[in-house]
């Protein structure tokens, strides 16, 4: 008979069921040799039985063989590793290099976080020949736990990683306090991977430079490339009462990955706590030379780097050089942030950078940021450049110009209108027309106002601004105004409009009861025979200031 025979297979199944369930420990002695059977099926069933029995002796034997197992056994063990902690604890504490290595491997494989205290003790034991291996396993296990803590909770796993963290932190804290005796850096790193910045032990150590653990903790926080430790170092920025050493080490790190992560954390709108902590930084190591690695950052990181530098207390010269670098080689987000930050810098060099960037950078938001700085900087020709940019196809640019020339609005223009001579009215009106989008709606209000003075002023303002054709219907309506002077001025103004409706309205006005109105209508109709009249061009030369309204600096 052979194993393929059905009756024999059923018999083996019954035998292994009995060996699995019996309380007689002699079953283990029978199962262990079966692991070496020439028949794979017997090997596999023996392995399952040993795992299902939860026998310490059987589990130790499995751990002893871990470096020799095949993929079939890996799958079986992965499904049934169960309560192997005791066997694994003995293995990681063993003096045998192979057994210890197997135990460490399984500890990581099964994520046996309960063994962290055992690993700590084994790492501290100077007589342990496998001390380095155990310490490395301790750190790797802490990293696995950190990854679980950072990821969304998997509720299929009943073990809460937060509770596990709380359990092991106490052991790590005690080991950190004993650092002067064991000098195991892996303990420091594991501790920093799992604690929060508000951990009492961590804060006490960072506040006491004489503490034996102070220097190694500072060195790890300053140099470690591990994501969890980078995150911990950055999290001190959120603490209004962060130890000064924690803020200082942020300035000392200049590895590109850390700087990028830090810049991303700060972002474009840092919190009050972050802002206050950044003010405590008077030097950034990565800004002591040209920060070429900034060019590799994405938009968000470059924008955050600008906030980091400009909100620190470091040399303004170094900050300006960084902004200059980003304006030349930065991505869109970096250039936008840098162009906005340039408003903090004055002088010929800053002015020159603004003007160069205005010419070379095609991004509308960058242009808008720089346009808003032209007049405050007193750059010659600023007003002319702003007026020119009113023709930009980008609304963000036009809006920036309007904000920069906010005093040139229709309400102020109208308030000063009676004090201005004709030339100033035309020059100022041309500016207001381009800058204030509310000019036409506001003029419509003036043309229909109850006050005769306001209606007449509205007619004159529309002519001075050259926008009578845009108000054709309101002007036609004034031809029936109750006041004959208003009707006459409206008739004269309609010489700028050449449409059938205007011609019809002027023909009807020729029959007005007022001679002045009839004559004005005749004049406009006669002019329209040769095409609509053209507004007089505004002055090209700058005008002298005219108090009290600040329209004097106008030039076209």
């Amino acid at each position: 008979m052979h194993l393929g025979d059905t009756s024999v297979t059923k018999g083996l199944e019954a035998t292994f069921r009995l060996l699995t369930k019996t309380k007689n420990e002699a079953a283990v002695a029978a199962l262990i040799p079966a692991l070496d059977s020439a028949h794979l099926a017997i090997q596999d069933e023996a392995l399952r039985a040993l795992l299902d029995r939860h026998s310490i002796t059987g589990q130790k034997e499995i751990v002893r063989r871990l470096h020799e197992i095949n993929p079939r056994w890996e799958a079986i063990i992965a499904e049934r590793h169960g309560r192997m902690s005791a066997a694994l604890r003995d293995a990681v504490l063993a003096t045998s290099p192979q057994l210890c290595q197997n135990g460490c491997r399984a500890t990581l494989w099964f994520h046996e976080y309960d063994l962290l205290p055992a690993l700590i003790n084994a790492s501290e034991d100077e007589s342990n020949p496998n001390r380095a291996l155990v310490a490395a396993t301790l750190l790797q296990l802490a990293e696995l736990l950190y990854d679980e803590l950072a990821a969304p909770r998997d509720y299929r796993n009943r073990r809460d990683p937060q509770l596990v963290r709380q359990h092991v932190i106490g052991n790590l804290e005690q080991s950190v306090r004993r650092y002067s005796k064991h000098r195991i850096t892996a303990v420091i790193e594991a501790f920093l991977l799992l604690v929060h910045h508000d951990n009492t032990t961590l804060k006490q150590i960072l506040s006491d430079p004489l503490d034996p653990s102070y220097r190694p903790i500072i060195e790890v926080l300053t140099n470690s490339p591990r994501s969890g430790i980078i995150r911990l170092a950055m999290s001190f920025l959120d603490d209004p009462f962060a130890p000064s050493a924690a803020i200082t080490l942020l300035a000392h790190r200049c590895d590109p990955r850390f700087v990028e992560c830090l810049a991303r954390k700060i972002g474009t709108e840092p919190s009050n706590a972050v802002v206050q902590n950044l003010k405590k930084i008077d030097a950034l190591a990565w800004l002591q030379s040209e920060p070429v690695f900034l060019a590799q950052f994405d938009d968000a990181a470059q924008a955050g780097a600008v906030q980091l530098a400009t909100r620190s207390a470091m040399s303004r010269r170094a900050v300006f050089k960084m902004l200059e670098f980003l304006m030349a080689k930065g991505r869109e987000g970096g250039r936008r942030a840098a162009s906005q930050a340039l408003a903090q810098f004055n002088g010929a060099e800053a002015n020159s950078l603004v003007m160069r960037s205005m010419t070379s950078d095609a991004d509308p938001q960058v242009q808008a940021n720089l346009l808003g700085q032209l007049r405050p900087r007193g750059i010659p020709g600023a007003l002319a450049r702003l007026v020119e940019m009113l023709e930009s196809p980008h609304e963000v640019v036009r809006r920036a110009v309007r904000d920069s020339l906010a005093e040139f609005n229709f309400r102020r223009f109208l308030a000063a209108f009676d004090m201005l001579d004709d030339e100033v009215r035309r020059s100022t009106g041309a500016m207001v027309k381009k800058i204030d989008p509310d000019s036409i709606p506001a003029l419509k209000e003036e043309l229909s106002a109850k006050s005769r003075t306001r209606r007449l002023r509205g007619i004159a303002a529309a002519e001075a601004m050259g926008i009578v054709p845009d108000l054709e219907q309101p002007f036609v309506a004034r031809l029936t105004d109750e006041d004959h002077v208003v009707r006459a001025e409206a008739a004269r103004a309609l010489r700028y409009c050449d449409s059938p409706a205007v011609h019809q309205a002027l023909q009807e006005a020729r029959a007005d009861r007022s001679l002045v109105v009839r004559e004005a209508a005749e004049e406009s109709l006669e002019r329209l025979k040769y095409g609509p009249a053209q507004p007089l061009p505004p002055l090209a030369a700058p005008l002298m200031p005219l108090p009290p309204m600040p329209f004097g600096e106008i030039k076209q």
Side-chain angles (χ1 to χ4, degrees):
M1 304 182 93
H2 53 80
L3 288 176
D5 189 291
T6 305
S7 61
V8 174
T9 302
K10 289 182 178 179
L12 283 174
E13 289 177 353
T15 300
F16 279 114
R17 276 200 303 273
L18 176 62
L19 291 173
T20 300
K21 295 180 179 180
T22 182
K23 295 182 179 180
N24 190 337
E25 281 299 308
V28 176
L31 286 169
I32 289 176
L35 293 174
D36 298 315
S37 171
H39 302 287
L40 299 182
I42 292 179
Q43 290 182 16
D44 295 351
E45 289 302 322
L47 178 62
R48 291 188 180 95
L50 285 172
L51 288 169
D52 289 344
R53 285 186 61 83
H54 302 301
S55 165
I56 296 296
T57 302
Q59 291 173 1
K60 285 183 177 181
E61 181 63 27
I62 294 171
V63 172
R64 188 181 68 80
R65 296 166 177 255
L66 277 180
H67 62 288
E68 300 174 340
I69 64 174
N70 53 53
R72 294 191 337 278
W73 280 29
E74 283 189 4
I76 294 170
I77 293 173
E79 292 177 356
R80 287 177 157 83
H81 63 82
R83 304 168 187 171
M84 293 184 67
S85 294
L88 292 178
R89 187 187 309 275
D90 289 345
V92 299
L93 296 175
T95 57
S96 165
Q98 187 61 66
L99 184 57
C100 182
Q101 185 175 0
N102 289 357
C104 289
R105 174 191 173 191
T107 298
L108 298 175
W109 182 8
F110 305 144
H111 291 202
E112 287 288 349
Y113 301 128
D114 290 340
L115 293 183
L116 273 166
L119 292 170
I120 292 172
N121 292 333
S123 299
E124 293 187 24
D125 184 0
E126 294 182 3
S127 65
N128 183 357
N130 303 310
R131 192 181 185 193
L133 171 62
V134 175
T137 302
L138 162 66
L139 181 53
Q140 291 178 62
L141 192 59
E143 283 191 290
L144 291 174
L145 178 54
Y146 169 79
D147 290 340
E148 284 194 35
L149 291 165
R153 170 77 188 276
D154 183 0
Y155 287 94
R156 293 174 299 180
N157 186 348
R158 294 183 179 181
R159 180 178 55 192
D160 184 349
Q162 294 293 344
L163 293 178
V164 174
R165 186 190 72 84
Q166 294 175 17
H167 174 70
V168 302
I169 284 295
N171 297 96
L172 287 169
E173 286 177 333
Q174 295 174 27
S175 185
V176 167
R177 289 295 192 185
R178 296 191 294 267
Y179 176 80
S180 61
K181 296 181 179 180
H182 59 71
R183 300 287 177 178
I184 301 297
T185 305
V187 170
I188 297 291
E189 292 190 80
F191 172 67
L192 295 177
L193 273 172
L194 299 179
V195 297
H196 296 309
H197 69 265
D198 57 356
N199 176 269
T200 302
T201 298
L202 177 61
K203 277 197 163 186
Q204 288 175 349
I205 293 173
L206 288 176
S207 299
D208 182 7
L210 298 180
D211 190 293
S213 301
Y214 175 87
R215 179 49 55 189
I217 284 181
I218 289 294
E219 288 180 356
V220 172
L221 286 172
T222 304
N223 300 305
S224 175
R226 301 181 190 280
S227 299
I229 294 177
I230 287 177
R231 181 175 295 183
L232 173 64
M234 295 189 304
S235 69
F236 282 105
L237 278 176
D238 299 314
D239 186 354
F241 307 104
S244 60
I247 302 303
T248 300
L249 70 86
L250 296 177
H252 289 168
R253 290 199 67 152
C254 54
D255 44 312
R257 179 165 175 258
F258 178 83
V259 176
E260 181 175 12
C261 291
L262 183 60
R264 283 177 168 280
K265 173 181 175 54
I266 292 171
T268 56
E269 296 182 5
S271 66
N272 289 335
V274 170
V275 170
Q276 293 306 313
N277 280 322
L278 288 178
K279 291 178 180 179
K280 301 173 185 176
I281 297 176
D282 57 9
L284 290 167
W286 54 273
L287 269 187
Q288 301 310 306
S289 58
E290 189 176 64
V292 291
F293 59 81
L294 282 180
Q296 306 303 316
F297 293 178
D298 63 14
D299 295 66
Q302 288 185 355
V306 171
Q307 291 292 326
L308 169 58
T310 56
R311 292 182 182 274
S312 71
M314 68 175 301
S315 160
R316 296 295 89 183
R317 178 65 181 172
V319 176
F320 177 79
K321 297 304 290 183
M322 188 197 81
L323 299 181
E324 188 175 37
F325 175 86
L326 285 176
M327 289 304 300
K329 300 179 181 180
R331 300 181 188 274
E332 183 180 88
R335 300 197 316 278
R336 289 181 175 183
S339 60
Q340 193 171 32
L342 277 175
Q344 303 174 25
F345 295 84
N346 299 314
E349 195 172 4
N351 292 351
S352 176
L353 177 57
V354 167
M355 294 307 295
R356 288 200 312 273
S357 302
M358 279 287 302
T359 303
S360 62
D361 203 312
D363 180 65
Q365 186 61 61
V366 172
Q367 292 182 0
N369 292 344
L370 298 175
L371 282 168
Q373 301 175 33
L374 294 185
R375 294 184 73 193
R377 292 179 179 279
I379 295 177
L383 192 58
R385 183 62 182 271
L386 287 167
V387 173
E388 175 188 340
M389 295 305 290
L390 281 169
E391 306 300 327
S392 170
H394 305 290
E395 171 57 25
V396 65
V397 174
R398 298 194 298 271
R399 183 168 60 248
V401 174
R402 290 195 294 267
D403 291 343
S404 186
L405 301 174
E407 72 268 28
F408 294 98
N409 65 74
F410 179 77
R411 295 300 181 188
R412 297 187 68 181
F413 172 58
L414 202 63
F417 189 80
D418 293 337
M419 296 184 292
L420 308 178
D421 61 32
D422 290 342
E423 292 178 345
V424 177
R425 287 177 177 180
R426 292 201 306 276
S427 296
T428 305
M431 287 285 287
V432 171
K433 174 186 174 182
K434 292 181 178 180
I435 295 167
D436 190 348
D438 295 327
S439 296
I440 290 179
L443 269 173
K444 287 181 179 179
E445 291 183 16
E446 293 302 308
L447 292 173
S448 60
K450 292 183 178 180
S451 167
R452 169 180 181 270
T453 301
R454 287 182 61 187
R455 298 199 299 276
L456 288 172
R457 186 186 296 119
I459 292 172
E463 288 192 77
M465 295 170 69
I467 56 176
V468 174
D470 298 308
L471 296 161
E472 181 179 295
Q473 289 303 318
F475 269 88
V476 169
R478 288 307 97 212
L479 292 179
T480 58
D481 195 275
E482 62 184 21
D483 188 280
H484 72 283
V485 176
V486 174
R487 297 199 302 274
E489 291 303 317
R492 290 192 182 92
L494 284 170
R495 69 186 183 277
Y496 298 106
C497 306
D498 190 9
S499 71
V502 168
H503 280 268
Q504 178 64 32
L506 288 174
Q507 287 291 351
E508 293 174 1
R510 293 173 64 189
D512 193 276
R513 62 182 181 275
S514 169
L515 174 61
V516 176
V517 176
R518 295 197 299 271
E519 289 177 346
E522 288 283 0
E523 291 174 5
S524 291
L525 285 169
E526 184 64 25
R527 178 63 185 83
L528 289 172
K529 290 180 181 179
Y530 307 99
Q534 299 299 316
L536 291 174
L539 289 178
L543 300 177
M544 296 299 293
L546 294 172
M549 304 303 292
F551 293 122
E553 60 179 316
I554 302 166
K555 71 177 175 182
Q556 289 287 334

